[in-house]
Amino acid sequence: MSDPLWLTATPPTPNGELHLGHMAGPYVAADTLRRFLLADDVPALMTTGLDDHQSYVALRGDRDGRGAEETADDYGRRVIAGWRGAQVDFDRIVEPRRLPGYGEFVQAFLQKLYDNDVIQPRTRPLPYCDPCDRWLYEAYVTGACPHCGAECNGNACEACGRPNDCGDLGDPRCTLCGCPAGLRDQRRLYLPLAQVADRLAAFWKRVAMPPHVRAMCTRMLADGLPEIAVSHPTNWGVPVPVLGFQDQRIYVWFEMAPGYLLEFDPDSARPTTGPVQFFGFDNSYFHAVLFPALFMLWDDTVPLPAAFVVNEFYRLAGDKFSTSRRHAVWALEGLAADGVDALRYHVLRTRPTGRQTNFDPGDLAAARTHLHEVWNGWLRGLVGAVHAETGGVVPEERPEGADWELLHGRLTRTSAELREAYSVAGFDPRRAIGLLDEVVYCARDYGFTQSHERERPAYRAALTGQLAAAAALAAWAGPALPAGAARLDAVLETAPGRRVNAAALAPPPPGTVLAAAPERIFGE
């Protein structure tokens, strides 16, 4: 039996709650694809984890005056609550400090690479803060990226996506106290990526990825793939098992590679097909370069990803959403104020696919208003008209005539375009939301024109035609807006979770008694 289609969404860092940038990035999009696949009878497994051992967690704990564990536990609970509130339904969430055997598996993964001489000791300069008396890496150090010059943290640059070695940052400073950092020699474990340069180049040719990520990979290859530090002098994370380095911790992005295997199966069973991975561009180097290199060197039978679904930055009032800087609109607050339909509708409609997009205060409320006035306005009017005309019973009359043929043809073509927008190969949730809006507008306009029909059989037939469009909307909106789609199915007495295809464009059977429409079907 073959594996289900495996979808992964990059584990978030529990140094804060999920914000709308997270939702507009990997999470709602991945869930939308999962729901489409399941409705299409394609087995799908969607997984993620919590990135507990990020230095950003420890840094947040330092700033808040509490430990890293308490910080990870607190925000981890809120992250999971945000997913659940947004109806992002993961099949498996790996929590590193709670999964039995997690640390041992990560350590064995590193030990094997070290024993095979794939990972090697190196002595390199690393920033050190004298006032704080600590080594600086990743979240604890900031400076100028050695590749693009942008301000960035250690180990990776969000702007250009490329890794750094912390010691090569321009004008490094301590994030905690702001003081300039000095450089001291530090012996750490390194992964030389050049040993798999040819294999990575071959992998990049066959994996589906956006041009921005491909260009980053091409530049890295042309410049010569670097050596990557996979251990750091700190007390937060999984301890390094290698003799002489036990006081260091495994670099959390190295840790994530074996962590993905545990997401697939906590008992360490190997997948037989590569995943479709959802992540932001700032994480591209890890997913497109580091993880594939590690799997190639650890066990070349591990299947590599089939596709990367990558989002750019989502901005808040022109500036990047940031958990660390607390520049964000939190998902739980948005859900409480405007509901799950409005949140999912808006973040999918404005998803930063291929370009950065912007969120402004009031956008969620505007989405909720749009759903209520346009979508619910049509649906409530339709259900009300059926109740007024037939006592809520679906008419016997079937739609016909030139207007219906035109609407039916348009919606049939739309169903094919929706299938493409929801599919792995053509995944474009912004397009899907636009098409769903077009379904509503077309059906609503048809209803307006047919409301002037004075012949009762023809009028009832037009109502049935609108009911067919409403039934299609319930099926076609299901992957994107599952809550509202479920409420519409309940009103129409149609089965939930139907396929996104032209067959959904059919009214409930004649004689079906429609429930009264609630005040809000979409956008509760």
Side-chain angles (χ1 to χ4, degrees), residues 143-163:
C145 173
H147 306 290
C148 71
E151 184 78 7
C152 72
N153 286 112
N155 293 100
C157 174
E158 288 187 340
C160 69
R162 295 182 62 170

PDB file of all heavy atoms in Angstrom, residues 143-163:
ATOM      1  N   GLY A 143      23.567  41.765  12.705  1.00  0.00           N
ATOM      2  CA  GLY A 143      24.596  42.489  11.974  1.00  0.00           C
ATOM      3  C   GLY A 143      24.244  42.542  10.505  1.00  0.00           C
ATOM      4  O   GLY A 143      23.105  42.253  10.107  1.00  0.00           O
ATOM      5  N   ALA A 144      25.216  42.906   9.673  1.00  0.00           N
ATOM      6  CA  ALA A 144      24.984  43.014   8.233  1.00  0.00           C
ATOM      7  C   ALA A 144      25.243  41.677   7.555  1.00  0.00           C
ATOM      8  O   ALA A 144      26.285  41.047   7.773  1.00  0.00           O
ATOM      9  CB  ALA A 144      25.883  44.093   7.636  1.00  0.00           C
ATOM     10  N   CYS A 145      24.294  41.238   6.735  1.00  0.00           N
ATOM     11  CA  CYS A 145      24.442  39.988   5.994  1.00  0.00           C
ATOM     12  C   CYS A 145      25.681  40.057   5.104  1.00  0.00           C
ATOM     13  O   CYS A 145      25.862  41.039   4.368  1.00  0.00           O
ATOM     14  CB  CYS A 145      23.197  39.736   5.145  1.00  0.00           C
ATOM     15  SG  CYS A 145      23.330  38.323   4.023  1.00  0.00           S
ATOM     16  N   PRO A 146      26.540  39.044   5.132  1.00  0.00           N
ATOM     17  CA  PRO A 146      27.735  39.062   4.289  1.00  0.00           C
ATOM     18  C   PRO A 146      27.432  38.916   2.798  1.00  0.00           C
ATOM     19  O   PRO A 146      28.304  39.132   1.963  1.00  0.00           O
ATOM     20  CB  PRO A 146      28.540  37.863   4.800  1.00  0.00           C
ATOM     21  CG  PRO A 146      27.543  36.942   5.405  1.00  0.00           C
ATOM     22  CD  PRO A 146      26.483  37.832   5.985  1.00  0.00           C
ATOM     23  N   HIS A 147      26.189  38.573   2.446  1.00  0.00           N
ATOM     24  CA  HIS A 147      25.837  38.359   1.039  1.00  0.00           C
ATOM     25  C   HIS A 147      25.101  39.556   0.439  1.00  0.00           C
ATOM     26  O   HIS A 147      25.420  39.982  -0.672  1.00  0.00           O
ATOM     27  CB  HIS A 147      24.979  37.101   0.901  1.00  0.00           C
ATOM     28  CG  HIS A 147      25.590  35.889   1.499  1.00  0.00           C
ATOM     29  ND1 HIS A 147      26.700  35.268   0.966  1.00  0.00           N
ATOM     30  CD2 HIS A 147      25.269  35.177   2.619  1.00  0.00           C
ATOM     31  CE1 HIS A 147      27.029  34.223   1.712  1.00  0.00           C
ATOM     32  NE2 HIS A 147      26.177  34.144   2.717  1.00  0.00           N
ATOM     33  N   CYS A 148      24.102  40.079   1.166  1.00  0.00           N
ATOM     34  CA  CYS A 148      23.294  41.169   0.596  1.00  0.00           C
ATOM     35  C   CYS A 148      23.405  42.476   1.364  1.00  0.00           C
ATOM     36  O   CYS A 148      22.913  43.507   0.905  1.00  0.00           O
ATOM     37  CB  CYS A 148      21.831  40.749   0.503  1.00  0.00           C
ATOM     38  SG  CYS A 148      20.980  40.613   2.105  1.00  0.00           S
ATOM     39  N   GLY A 149      24.023  42.450   2.550  1.00  0.00           N
ATOM     40  CA  GLY A 149      24.204  43.664   3.337  1.00  0.00           C
ATOM     41  C   GLY A 149      23.026  44.050   4.194  1.00  0.00           C
ATOM     42  O   GLY A 149      23.107  45.020   4.967  1.00  0.00           O
ATOM     43  N   ALA A 150      21.911  43.319   4.097  1.00  0.00           N
ATOM     44  CA  ALA A 150      20.739  43.652   4.905  1.00  0.00           C
ATOM     45  C   ALA A 150      20.992  43.331   6.374  1.00  0.00           C
ATOM     46  O   ALA A 150      21.798  42.454   6.715  1.00  0.00           O
ATOM     47  CB  ALA A 150      19.530  42.874   4.403  1.00  0.00           C
ATOM     48  N   GLU A 151      20.303  44.034   7.254  1.00  0.00           N
ATOM     49  CA  GLU A 151      20.361  43.721   8.680  1.00  0.00           C
ATOM     50  C   GLU A 151      19.733  42.355   8.903  1.00  0.00           C
ATOM     51  O   GLU A 151      18.620  42.075   8.429  1.00  0.00           O
ATOM     52  CB  GLU A 151      19.603  44.779   9.474  1.00  0.00           C
ATOM     53  CG  GLU A 151      19.665  44.613  10.974  1.00  0.00           C
ATOM     54  CD  GLU A 151      20.993  45.086  11.568  1.00  0.00           C
ATOM     55  OE1 GLU A 151      21.812  45.661  10.828  1.00  0.00           O
ATOM     56  OE2 GLU A 151      21.193  44.888  12.773  1.00  0.00           O
ATOM     57  N   CYS A 152      20.432  41.470   9.598  1.00  0.00           N
ATOM     58  CA  CYS A 152      19.887  40.134   9.805  1.00  0.00           C
ATOM     59  C   CYS A 152      20.439  39.549  11.100  1.00  0.00           C
ATOM     60  O   CYS A 152      21.389  40.075  11.684  1.00  0.00           O
ATOM     61  CB  CYS A 152      20.212  39.211   8.632  1.00  0.00           C
ATOM     62  SG  CYS A 152      21.946  38.698   8.501  1.00  0.00           S
ATOM     63  N   ASN A 153      19.835  38.461  11.517  1.00  0.00           N
ATOM     64  CA  ASN A 153      20.326  37.700  12.658  1.00  0.00           C
ATOM     65  C   ASN A 153      21.391  36.704  12.197  1.00  0.00           C
ATOM     66  O   ASN A 153      21.685  36.577  11.016  1.00  0.00           O
ATOM     67  CB  ASN A 153      19.186  36.967  13.351  1.00  0.00           C
ATOM     68  CG  ASN A 153      18.298  37.900  14.147  1.00  0.00           C
ATOM     69  OD1 ASN A 153      17.144  38.111  13.802  1.00  0.00           O
ATOM     70  ND2 ASN A 153      18.826  38.475  15.229  1.00  0.00           N
ATOM     71  N   GLY A 154      21.936  35.981  13.155  1.00  0.00           N
ATOM     72  CA  GLY A 154      22.944  34.991  12.829  1.00  0.00           C
ATOM     73  C   GLY A 154      22.356  33.766  12.162  1.00  0.00           C
ATOM     74  O   GLY A 154      21.169  33.460  12.297  1.00  0.00           O
ATOM     75  N   ASN A 155      23.193  33.082  11.397  1.00  0.00           N
ATOM     76  CA  ASN A 155      22.911  31.802  10.757  1.00  0.00           C
ATOM     77  C   ASN A 155      22.111  31.897   9.461  1.00  0.00           C
ATOM     78  O   ASN A 155      22.288  31.066   8.581  1.00  0.00           O
ATOM     79  CB  ASN A 155      22.235  30.811  11.711  1.00  0.00           C
ATOM     80  CG  ASN A 155      23.170  30.388  12.831  1.00  0.00           C
ATOM     81  OD1 ASN A 155      23.081  30.901  13.946  1.00  0.00           O
ATOM     82  ND2 ASN A 155      24.083  29.468  12.548  1.00  0.00           N
ATOM     83  N   ALA A 156      21.211  32.866   9.326  1.00  0.00           N
ATOM     84  CA  ALA A 156      20.469  32.991   8.072  1.00  0.00           C
ATOM     85  C   ALA A 156      19.911  34.401   7.940  1.00  0.00           C
ATOM     86  O   ALA A 156      19.574  35.042   8.937  1.00  0.00           O
ATOM     87  CB  ALA A 156      19.340  31.969   7.997  1.00  0.00           C
ATOM     88  N   CYS A 157      19.803  34.861   6.698  1.00  0.00           N
ATOM     89  CA  CYS A 157      19.283  36.194   6.388  1.00  0.00           C
ATOM     90  C   CYS A 157      17.879  36.066   5.826  1.00  0.00           C
ATOM     91  O   CYS A 157      17.663  35.354   4.837  1.00  0.00           O
ATOM     92  CB  CYS A 157      20.200  36.902   5.386  1.00  0.00           C
ATOM     93  SG  CYS A 157      19.584  38.489   4.794  1.00  0.00           S
ATOM     94  N   GLU A 158      16.916  36.753   6.431  1.00  0.00           N
ATOM     95  CA  GLU A 158      15.550  36.693   5.932  1.00  0.00           C
ATOM     96  C   GLU A 158      15.406  37.366   4.568  1.00  0.00           C
ATOM     97  O   GLU A 158      14.578  36.976   3.762  1.00  0.00           O
ATOM     98  CB  GLU A 158      14.597  37.365   6.923  1.00  0.00           C
ATOM     99  CG  GLU A 158      14.367  36.584   8.199  1.00  0.00           C
ATOM    100  CD  GLU A 158      13.293  37.207   9.062  1.00  0.00           C
ATOM    101  OE1 GLU A 158      13.007  38.426   8.875  1.00  0.00           O
ATOM    102  OE2 GLU A 158      12.731  36.502   9.914  1.00  0.00           O
ATOM    103  N   ALA A 159      16.211  38.390   4.309  1.00  0.00           N
ATOM    104  CA  ALA A 159      16.056  39.165   3.079  1.00  0.00           C
ATOM    105  C   ALA A 159      16.468  38.370   1.848  1.00  0.00           C
ATOM    106  O   ALA A 159      15.712  38.262   0.871  1.00  0.00           O
ATOM    107  CB  ALA A 159      16.859  40.457   3.168  1.00  0.00           C
ATOM    108  N   CYS A 160      17.678  37.798   1.849  1.00  0.00           N
ATOM    109  CA  CYS A 160      18.160  37.071   0.668  1.00  0.00           C
ATOM    110  C   CYS A 160      18.036  35.560   0.825  1.00  0.00           C
ATOM    111  O   CYS A 160      18.202  34.822  -0.134  1.00  0.00           O
ATOM    112  CB  CYS A 160      19.607  37.444   0.357  1.00  0.00           C
ATOM    113  SG  CYS A 160      20.843  36.855   1.561  1.00  0.00           S
ATOM    114  N   GLY A 161      17.743  35.109   2.047  1.00  0.00           N
ATOM    115  CA  GLY A 161      17.528  33.685   2.288  1.00  0.00           C
ATOM    116  C   GLY A 161      18.781  32.868   2.500  1.00  0.00           C
ATOM    117  O   GLY A 161      18.692  31.675   2.767  1.00  0.00           O
ATOM    118  N   ARG A 162      19.960  33.485   2.423  1.00  0.00           N
ATOM    119  CA  ARG A 162      21.201  32.710   2.449  1.00  0.00           C
ATOM    120  C   ARG A 162      21.763  32.590   3.867  1.00  0.00           C
ATOM    121  O   ARG A 162      21.535  33.450   4.724  1.00  0.00           O
ATOM    122  CB  ARG A 162      22.226  33.338   1.516  1.00  0.00           C
ATOM    123  CG  ARG A 162      21.789  33.268   0.071  1.00  0.00           C
ATOM    124  CD  ARG A 162      22.805  33.842  -0.885  1.00  0.00           C
ATOM    125  NE  ARG A 162      24.072  33.122  -0.857  1.00  0.00           N
ATOM    126  CZ  ARG A 162      25.046  33.317  -1.746  1.00  0.00           C
ATOM    127  NH1 ARG A 162      24.888  34.194  -2.727  1.00  0.00           N
ATOM    128  NH2 ARG A 162      26.175  32.630  -1.649  1.00  0.00           N
ATOM    129  N   PRO A 163      22.515  31.510   4.124  1.00  0.00           N
ATOM    130  CA  PRO A 163      23.077  31.298   5.461  1.00  0.00           C
ATOM    131  C   PRO A 163      24.315  32.157   5.692  1.00  0.00           C
ATOM    132  O   PRO A 163      24.974  32.609   4.751  1.00  0.00           O
ATOM    133  CB  PRO A 163      23.443  29.819   5.445  1.00  0.00           C
ATOM    134  CG  PRO A 163      23.761  29.527   4.020  1.00  0.00           C
ATOM    135  CD  PRO A 163      22.822  30.383   3.210  1.00  0.00           C
TER     136      PRO A 163
END
